[in-house]
mmCIF file of all heavy atoms in Angstrom:
data_model
loop_
_atom_site.group_PDB
_atom_site.id
_atom_site.type_symbol
_atom_site.label_atom_id
_atom_site.label_comp_id
_atom_site.label_asym_id
_atom_site.label_seq_id
_atom_site.Cartn_x
_atom_site.Cartn_y
_atom_site.Cartn_z
ATOM 1 N N SER A 114 -18.450 -8.342 5.064
ATOM 2 C CA SER A 114 -18.820 -8.346 6.482
ATOM 3 C C SER A 114 -19.529 -9.629 6.910
ATOM 4 O O SER A 114 -19.718 -9.864 8.112
ATOM 5 C CB SER A 114 -19.710 -7.138 6.802
ATOM 6 O OG SER A 114 -20.894 -7.183 6.019
ATOM 7 N N SER A 115 -19.945 -10.464 5.932
ATOM 8 C CA SER A 115 -20.559 -11.748 6.292
ATOM 9 C C SER A 115 -19.508 -12.846 6.480
ATOM 10 O O SER A 115 -19.824 -13.951 6.900
ATOM 11 C CB SER A 115 -21.547 -12.181 5.200
ATOM 12 O OG SER A 115 -20.866 -12.469 3.991
ATOM 13 N N ARG A 116 -18.230 -12.533 6.153
ATOM 14 C CA ARG A 116 -17.149 -13.507 6.281
ATOM 15 C C ARG A 116 -16.417 -13.306 7.614
ATOM 16 O O ARG A 116 -16.674 -12.375 8.365
ATOM 17 C CB ARG A 116 -16.152 -13.367 5.116
ATOM 18 C CG ARG A 116 -16.773 -13.395 3.723
ATOM 19 C CD ARG A 116 -17.326 -14.765 3.354
ATOM 20 N NE ARG A 116 -16.312 -15.797 3.313
ATOM 21 C CZ ARG A 116 -15.586 -16.084 2.226
ATOM 22 N NH1 ARG A 116 -15.729 -15.382 1.112
ATOM 23 N NH2 ARG A 116 -14.709 -17.069 2.263
ATOM 24 N N LYS A 117 -15.447 -14.179 7.857
ATOM 25 C CA LYS A 117 -14.727 -14.147 9.123
ATOM 26 C C LYS A 117 -13.854 -12.897 9.260
ATOM 27 O O LYS A 117 -13.290 -12.402 8.288
ATOM 28 C CB LYS A 117 -13.845 -15.392 9.247
ATOM 29 C CG LYS A 117 -13.172 -15.517 10.609
ATOM 30 C CD LYS A 117 -12.541 -16.871 10.822
ATOM 31 C CE LYS A 117 -11.958 -16.977 12.230
ATOM 32 N NZ LYS A 117 -11.347 -18.286 12.494
ATOM 33 N N MET A 118 -13.766 -12.397 10.482
ATOM 34 C CA MET A 118 -12.887 -11.265 10.782
ATOM 35 C C MET A 118 -11.464 -11.781 11.015
ATOM 36 O O MET A 118 -11.228 -12.635 11.868
ATOM 37 C CB MET A 118 -13.370 -10.535 12.035
ATOM 38 C CG MET A 118 -12.472 -9.403 12.489
ATOM 39 S SD MET A 118 -12.667 -7.902 11.513
ATOM 40 C CE MET A 118 -14.174 -7.236 12.251
ATOM 41 N N LEU A 119 -10.525 -11.272 10.218
ATOM 42 C CA LEU A 119 -9.115 -11.613 10.372
ATOM 43 C C LEU A 119 -8.399 -10.484 11.102
ATOM 44 O O LEU A 119 -8.976 -9.419 11.347
ATOM 45 C CB LEU A 119 -8.478 -11.838 8.994
ATOM 46 C CG LEU A 119 -9.197 -12.821 8.058
ATOM 47 C CD1 LEU A 119 -8.437 -12.942 6.739
ATOM 48 C CD2 LEU A 119 -9.350 -14.186 8.708
ATOM 49 N N GLN A 120 -7.140 -10.700 11.443
ATOM 50 C CA GLN A 120 -6.314 -9.645 12.031
ATOM 51 C C GLN A 120 -5.374 -9.103 10.952
ATOM 52 O O GLN A 120 -4.679 -9.875 10.294
ATOM 53 C CB GLN A 120 -5.516 -10.175 13.215
ATOM 54 C CG GLN A 120 -6.392 -10.606 14.383
ATOM 55 C CD GLN A 120 -5.559 -11.012 15.587
ATOM 56 O OE1 GLN A 120 -5.042 -10.175 16.321
ATOM 57 N NE2 GLN A 120 -5.417 -12.316 15.783
ATOM 58 N N ARG A 121 -5.400 -7.789 10.779
ATOM 59 C CA ARG A 121 -4.576 -7.158 9.744
ATOM 60 C C ARG A 121 -3.416 -6.412 10.407
ATOM 61 O O ARG A 121 -3.636 -5.436 11.141
ATOM 62 C CB ARG A 121 -5.419 -6.213 8.901
ATOM 63 C CG ARG A 121 -4.615 -5.432 7.864
ATOM 64 C CD ARG A 121 -5.525 -4.709 6.876
ATOM 65 N NE ARG A 121 -6.224 -5.678 6.031
ATOM 66 C CZ ARG A 121 -7.084 -5.332 5.071
ATOM 67 N NH1 ARG A 121 -7.353 -4.052 4.853
ATOM 68 N NH2 ARG A 121 -7.670 -6.259 4.344
ATOM 69 N N ILE A 122 -2.205 -6.879 10.154
ATOM 70 C CA ILE A 122 -1.006 -6.218 10.684
ATOM 71 C C ILE A 122 -0.476 -5.251 9.627
ATOM 72 O O ILE A 122 -0.218 -5.642 8.488
ATOM 73 C CB ILE A 122 0.090 -7.235 11.040
ATOM 74 C CG1 ILE A 122 -0.389 -8.153 12.170
ATOM 75 C CG2 ILE A 122 1.378 -6.519 11.454
ATOM 76 C CD1 ILE A 122 0.631 -9.208 12.574
ATOM 77 N N TYR A 123 -0.354 -3.989 10.017
ATOM 78 C CA TYR A 123 0.211 -2.965 9.142
ATOM 79 C C TYR A 123 1.669 -2.715 9.507
ATOM 80 O O TYR A 123 2.029 -2.697 10.689
ATOM 81 C CB TYR A 123 -0.549 -1.642 9.294
ATOM 82 C CG TYR A 123 -1.891 -1.603 8.615
ATOM 83 C CD1 TYR A 123 -3.054 -1.879 9.327
ATOM 84 C CD2 TYR A 123 -2.007 -1.290 7.260
ATOM 85 C CE1 TYR A 123 -4.299 -1.839 8.729
ATOM 86 C CE2 TYR A 123 -3.248 -1.247 6.636
ATOM 87 C CZ TYR A 123 -4.389 -1.521 7.374
ATOM 88 O OH TYR A 123 -5.611 -1.483 6.768
#
Side-chain angles (χ1 to χ4, degrees):
S114 60
S115 66
R116 308 291 298 272
K117 186 168 184 179
M118 176 78 79
L119 308 180
Q120 295 185 78
R121 176 169 292 180
I122 296 179
Y123 284 96

